[in-house]
Amino acid sequence: MQSLAPSSSIGIKSIMRSPSPLPNPRRRVNFSVQSAARSFDSNQSVSAAAPPSAAAGGFTSGGVGKNRADWQSSCAILASKVVSQQQNTEKTGGADNITVVNGHRTLDLVPVVDSNNLPKPLTITDLSPAPMHGAQLRVAYQGVPGAYSEAAAGKAYPECDAIPCDQFEVAFQAVELWIADRAVLPVENSLGGSIHRNYDLLLRHRLHIVGEVQLPVHHCLLALPGVRKEYINRVISHPQALAQCELTLTKKLGLNVTREAVDDTAGAAEFVAANGLRDTAAIASARAAELYGLNILADGIQDDSSNITRFVMLAREPIIPRTDRPFKTSIVFAHDKGTSVLFKVLSAFAFRNISLTKIESRPHRNRPIRLVDDANVGTAKHFEYMFYVDFEASMADVRAQNALAEVQEFTSFLRVLGSYPMDMTPWSPSRDD
Ligand SMILES: O=C(O)C(=O)C[C@]1(C(=O)O)C=C[C@@H](O)C=C1
């Protein structure tokens, strides 16, 4: 269900799903482990790697989302229905197909969109029963069909059965509970920056990063057939997508209208279609336009042609790191003596000529603030952080092992989130630019 929520601090109103009910009791899962690869954590525990076949995760060819009907029936997915919204649209009394939108008369060409055939996102309440295991790799993503995350799942695992989830958290849990085999989740965008929620969830859950994919994100402005740009008084989409198109919307398209945030881009398209909103446009993919029967009013509306989102692939077990192709390793660490450790950690990589590709810091939830003196008396001195670092080396590389051994001496907490093949796909700008 969706309902209107108050404006966010950046002045974008959110259309959010109502709070999900509590999860069903979890099923405990057991799985065999092998001892080929190690991952460090704060307790110096060792977790094991999957065999290479599972590790590779199936980079095969084909389409996304086959056997959706099977998936739906076996999981009894709850349909998340959108609440009809009061529209700013008035129908003329007599003429059958004429609609007046914002004072403009237009032919009413609203198509009958039957999105019932599309898989509905998993919700937290769907997470108890594991469905029958088919041959295809089941890949959880956040959003509804037509979301960029679905495209990323298809790029990562071309033959996969893509499973929509209504929240990132649900995608994590779907893998943990064996409902899905992998999750593909966005972590950063070249224009909008990091998707912090997923950094926090990576720490809270015990999944391993087993790969990455970079997806060029090509946004379109979508509206119901017959609706023209002049009729639009609201644009809705995922907050990242709104941010990625802000300049184009205002400067190029002159759309100085209300923005509202929704859970994902394709969900915005579905919302416009399902509610017959003739005064609202959605920012989403061309595939979403096709799936929900919308027209593309403008194509390639991202502010920069190099609009790329990086997704990570998550699995229950790590892969065996290799050195015969470029690998990346992601770690997270903290130190109970504050941030001064950062320099030492970074130098452990610099001395070994290991390039860093990303540094991110997040608040340390268990220890948010550091106090002035050891007796814990006095005013707050500074915030405490968890640091996330990605570096260009495999855990099978001795340089990386030595660097991490050194890092472990400086830090009070260290966890390897994953060591995985880098996405080396050559990048080219979006179609129109
Ligand atoms: O809304 C979608 O379609 C998504 O897949 C989510 C998401 C994101 O979280 O950043 C992914 C890629 C784009 O950058 C915009 C939105």
Side-chain angles (χ1 to χ4, degrees), residues 223-292:
L224 284 169
V227 169
R228 301 215 321 244
K229 202 180 64 175
E230 304 79 72
Y231 310 161
I232 305 296
N233 63 25
R234 179 171 69 154
V235 177
I236 66 174
S237 196
H238 186 282
Q240 279 273 348
L242 288 168
Q244 291 160 23
C245 303
E246 183 51 34
L247 279 178
T248 313
L249 284 181
T250 46
K251 300 257 156 58
K252 277 197 200 160
L253 298 171
L255 281 171
N256 292 306
V257 296
T258 311
R259 318 275 196 256
E260 288 180 15
V262 293
D263 290 343
D264 69 294
T265 56
E270 184 191 44
F271 189 74
V272 169
N275 293 285
L277 303 177
R278 306 189 63 81
D279 60 349
T280 303
I283 297 174
S285 62
R287 173 167 152 80
E290 202 180 302
L291 288 176
Y292 303 109

Side-chain angles (χ1 to χ4, degrees), residues 377-410:
V377 194
T379 49
K381 191 178 176 190
H382 53 70
F383 293 106
E384 291 275 320
Y385 299 99
M386 305 292 303
F387 292 103
Y388 293 76
V389 167
D390 292 349
F391 59 88
E392 280 183 347
S394 163
M395 277 305 292
D397 181 337
V398 175
R399 291 175 312 144
Q401 291 165 7
N402 290 341
L404 279 197
E406 200 174 313
V407 168
Q408 204 164 20
E409 285 173 22
F410 305 144

Side-chain angles (χ1 to χ4, degrees), residues 147-149 168 186 189 195 217 238 240-241 244 264-266 309 311:
Y148 296 102
S149 297
F168 292 134
N189 172 268
I195 289 118
V217 173
H238 186 282
Q240 279 273 348
Q244 291 160 23
D264 69 294
T265 56
T309 300
F311 295 78

Side-chain angles (χ1 to χ4, degrees), residues 59 148-149 151-156 184-190 211-218 306-313 328 357-358 390 392 420-428:
F59 288 88
Y148 296 102
S149 297
K155 184 176 177 195
V184 172
L185 298 169
V187 285
E188 57 179 320
N189 172 268
S190 53
E212 64 168 6
V213 276
Q214 301 193 353
L215 188 83
V217 173
H218 184 96
S306 357
N307 185 27
I308 301 219
T309 300
R310 178 173 164 252
F311 295 78
V312 288
M313 290 111 90
K328 207 183 250 185
T357 54
K358 171 103 208 253
D390 292 349
E392 280 183 347
Y420 49 92
M422 283 168 66
D423 183 357
M424 303 295 285
T425 321
W427 174 84
S428 59

